[in-house]
Amino acid sequence: MTARAQALTLYESLLLIRRAEEKIQAHYAEDDMKTPVHLYIGQEAVAAGVVNGLDPADPIVGTYRSHGIYLARTDDPEGFFAELYGRVGGPAKGKAGSMHMARPQDGLFLTSAVVATTIPVALGLAFTQQYRKTGRSVAAFFGDGAMDEGVFWESLNFACLKRLPVLFVCEDNGLAIHTPSVARRGYKSVADAVGGFDCHFVESESTDPAEISDLTRDALARQREDGRPVFMRLRCYRYVEHVGPREDRDFHLGYRREEEFEYWRARDPVRCQRERLIKLGVPEAEVAALETKIDERLSRCVAEAQKAPFPEPEELHRDVLA
Amino acid sequence: MSQLSYREAVNGALIQEMERDDRVFVYGCDVADHKRIYGSTTDLVERFGPERCFSTPISEDAMTGMGLGAAISGLRPIHVHIRVDFLLLAMNQLANMISTARYMSGGDLSVPMVIRAVVGRGWGQSAQHSKSLHSVFAHLPGIRVVAPTTPNDVKGLMSAAIRDDNPVVMLEHRWLYDTVGEVDEGDAVVPLGKARVVRAGTDLTIVATSWMVVEALRAADLLAERGVSVEVIDPRTLAPLDEESIVASVQKTRHCIVADNDWSFCGFGAEVAAMVSERCFGQLGAAVSRVGWAFVPCPTTRCLENEFYPNANDLVRAAERSLGLDAMDLSGFDFYTYENRFKGPF
Ligand SMILES: Cc1ncc(C[n+]2csc(CCOP(=O)(O)OP(=O)(O)O)c2C)c(N)n1
Ligand SMILES: [Mg+2]
């Protein structure tokens, strides 16, 4: 793929996530999306970049903050909005909602609202790949808060021990709800703590999805070469409150600082990618046309979800067991 | 007497007990952030300092074990979970350690620890933020389980739990946080292990837990319109259970429904049904029946959530079956009034 085509693809991915969540912000107060939303606005380069760097068949697991990986992997905003609106057309027929958005058919197996709980599941998915010699790697997305849990360290240990093809993707936005990582960590740095494990370690605070995609691809190549799993600490910043649609500018409360907000805002992944496109010589009209296409598609998704049918009452009892 | 919300009552009890006893401390994820667990831990850091109220890393298992260690060496920890679902990560400490420490030490150790956990519901809380789990905890010998439903009960029972020398799991339903009621002044303690007759009646007993007490009272109002007199009993403490209050009521009414804020299968309702059947067998006018959640994981979408949770409507129907009455017309009634007050987040 040419640099130009790659840049366009990544812009489309970023923008789809950003605009989809802006739709949520615009409609949430109407009280029809009855599902707690943990928005990703500000962090998009991580999902867009890592998912782009993975093979489309590489399995993924994530957290309750998974709108980004869902849209980056599935290209299914239709199902996404149907799920948010609790309609039968959603991937889980409305039973999952925002916090459990997943689509196994696209390799996005599970997302969970209990911190760190999908990390060990990635081990099992990776074990299957190893067992069946598929050559695929498994990406486990989790927040910095998940590193507080014992199960994270147990999982990292086991993956290193067994040389499982796992990509641990720590989306480090520096906060667990309102508690900054410095108030939760007894270790000197993530690099120090993870550094003792027999894995590849990658660290970045880039908001450029191409850079993150390259980091992912390189790391996977090294993982395939020597079998050692990969730990990626990708620093990022969420502009919105932990849960809910509001932008979080509660600087007076002390858990985040305005300078930090502005620092990240100045490197906003979506705007910077747009600037990159223009610099690469993509005509303004072409970029605008892409934006309009995405906006129109998302508006259609919302409008269709709003009038789509709800599941029938019998759906309640379906799919408890196979 | 003063009018307090449930959250204020929880907060009041914590402040009162921390003032009274400097061995008491409060810890857990986010107890000291500005939201203060829905306001229930408000002012604790300001009054008692960061040594006695502090947020922790997200490490439920280790933090629970740490509570045990503090409790057996002279302190009185209160560990807080914003959802009871997260307490499952601490199940080993609870089931293998905390509940057995006294017994396995031949009575040398005691574990004066309170574990507060919020039960979620509604607005798409879904399968991982809505469990109640009281039967799971009550199944374990060596732990007390409390689920207060009114501001007065939560204040008095919280105080009792903190003063008790045993581990107590205190379950607080999210929807109850906004309810307001009269609360006794001073350090009035509500004893553990005592049920409360919430409403007296003569025809049918509804033993209701947690949020289902609210639904039971609504059902009692509806049934009163057709001349059925319902007695509503809130056990308040689920373990140990106040069997005598339940038995006395059923001996009077001869009919019993258990309305449990949980799945029925292998649950608290089965325990009450068995106990009532054993102790009131000859006097029962009908088999004890249970009303609980649909036996599926809690779905997100509202239309299925409404099917998942039983309400006053279901209790009226269960009562009619128990008493052999025709179904009354309930078409004009709205059963989801409280839900409009809860729009998340969380
Ligand atoms: C086991 C567990 N404990 C506590 C919580 C409550 N909780 C929800 S999100 C969260 C913070 C997680 O932060 P992080 O992992 O950094 O993810 P982020 O929200 O920043 O994406 C906490 C403590 C939970 N969901 N699961
Ligand atoms: Mg975080």
Coordinates of all heavy atoms in Angstrom, one line a residue, chain A residues 43 64-65 143-146 171-177 184 238, ligand 2:
Chain A
Q43 N -8.3 8.8 22.3 CA -7.4 7.6 22.3 C -7.4 6.9 21.0 O -6.8 5.8 20.9 CB -7.9 6.7 23.4 CG -7.9 7.3 24.8 CD -8.2 6.2 25.9 OE1 -8.5 6.7 27.0 NE2 -8.1 4.9 25.7
Y64 N -14.5 -2.7 28.5 CA -15.7 -1.9 28.4 C -15.5 -0.7 27.5 O -16.4 0.0 27.1 CB -16.2 -1.5 29.7 CG -15.1 -0.9 30.6 CD1 -14.9 0.4 30.5 CD2 -14.3 -1.7 31.3 CE1 -13.8 1.0 31.2 CE2 -13.2 -1.2 32.0 CZ -12.9 0.1 31.9 OH -11.9 0.7 32.5
R65 N -14.2 -0.3 27.3 CA -13.9 0.9 26.5 C -13.4 0.4 25.1 O -12.3 0.7 24.7 CB -12.8 1.8 27.2 CG -12.8 3.2 26.7 CD -11.7 4.1 27.3 NE -11.8 4.2 28.8 CZ -12.7 4.9 29.4 NH1 -13.6 5.6 28.7 NH2 -12.8 4.9 30.7
G143 N -6.6 -1.4 30.0 CA -6.2 0.0 30.5 C -5.0 -0.2 31.5 O -4.7 -1.3 31.9
D144 N -4.5 1.0 31.8 CA -3.4 1.0 32.8 C -3.9 0.4 34.2 O -3.1 -0.2 34.9 CB -2.8 2.4 33.0 CG -3.9 3.4 33.2 OD1 -4.7 3.6 32.2 OD2 -4.0 4.1 34.2
G145 N -5.2 0.7 34.4 CA -5.7 0.2 35.7 C -5.6 -1.3 35.8 O -5.5 -1.9 36.9
A146 N -5.7 -2.0 34.7 CA -5.7 -3.5 34.7 C -4.4 -4.0 35.3 O -4.3 -5.1 35.8 CB -6.0 -4.0 33.3
E171 N -3.4 0.3 27.1 CA -3.9 1.7 26.6 C -3.7 2.6 27.9 O -4.7 2.6 28.7 CB -5.3 1.6 26.2 CG -5.5 0.6 25.0 CD -6.9 0.7 24.5 OE1 -7.8 -0.1 25.0 OE2 -7.2 1.4 23.6
D172 N -2.6 3.2 28.0 CA -2.3 3.9 29.2 C -2.7 5.4 29.2 O -2.0 6.2 28.7 CB -0.8 3.8 29.5 CG -0.4 4.3 30.9 OD1 -1.2 4.9 31.5 OD2 0.7 4.0 31.3
N173 N -3.9 5.6 29.6 CA -4.4 7.0 29.6 C -4.2 7.6 31.0 O -4.7 8.7 31.3 CB -5.9 7.0 29.3 CG -6.8 6.2 30.2 OD1 -6.4 5.8 31.3 ND2 -8.0 6.0 29.8
G174 N -3.4 7.0 31.8 CA -3.0 7.6 33.1 C -4.0 7.6 34.2 O -3.7 8.1 35.3
L175 N -5.2 7.1 33.9 CA -6.2 7.2 34.9 C -7.0 5.9 35.0 O -7.3 5.3 34.0 CB -7.3 8.3 34.5 CG -6.9 9.8 34.8 CD1 -8.0 10.7 34.2 CD2 -6.7 10.1 36.3
A176 N -7.4 5.6 36.2 CA -8.4 4.6 36.5 C -9.5 5.3 37.1 O -9.4 5.7 38.3 CB -7.9 3.4 37.4
I177 N -10.6 5.5 36.4 CA -11.7 6.4 36.8 C -11.1 7.8 37.2 O -10.7 8.5 36.2 CB -12.6 5.8 37.9 CG1 -13.0 4.4 37.5 CG2 -13.8 6.7 38.1 CD1 -14.1 3.7 38.4
R184 N -1.4 4.6 42.2 CA -1.8 3.2 42.2 C -0.6 2.3 42.1 O -0.7 1.1 42.2 CB -2.8 2.9 41.1 CG -4.2 3.6 41.3 CD -5.1 3.2 40.2 NE -4.8 4.0 39.0 CZ -4.3 3.4 37.9 NH1 -4.1 2.2 37.8 NH2 -4.0 4.2 36.9
R238 N -7.8 10.4 27.3 CA -9.2 10.5 27.0 C -9.7 11.9 27.3 O -9.4 12.4 28.4 CB -10.0 9.4 27.6 CG -10.3 9.5 29.1 CD -11.3 8.5 29.6 NE -11.0 8.1 30.9 CZ -11.2 8.8 32.0 NH1 -11.7 10.0 31.9 NH2 -10.9 8.4 33.2
Ligands
MG2 MG -6.8 4.1 32.3

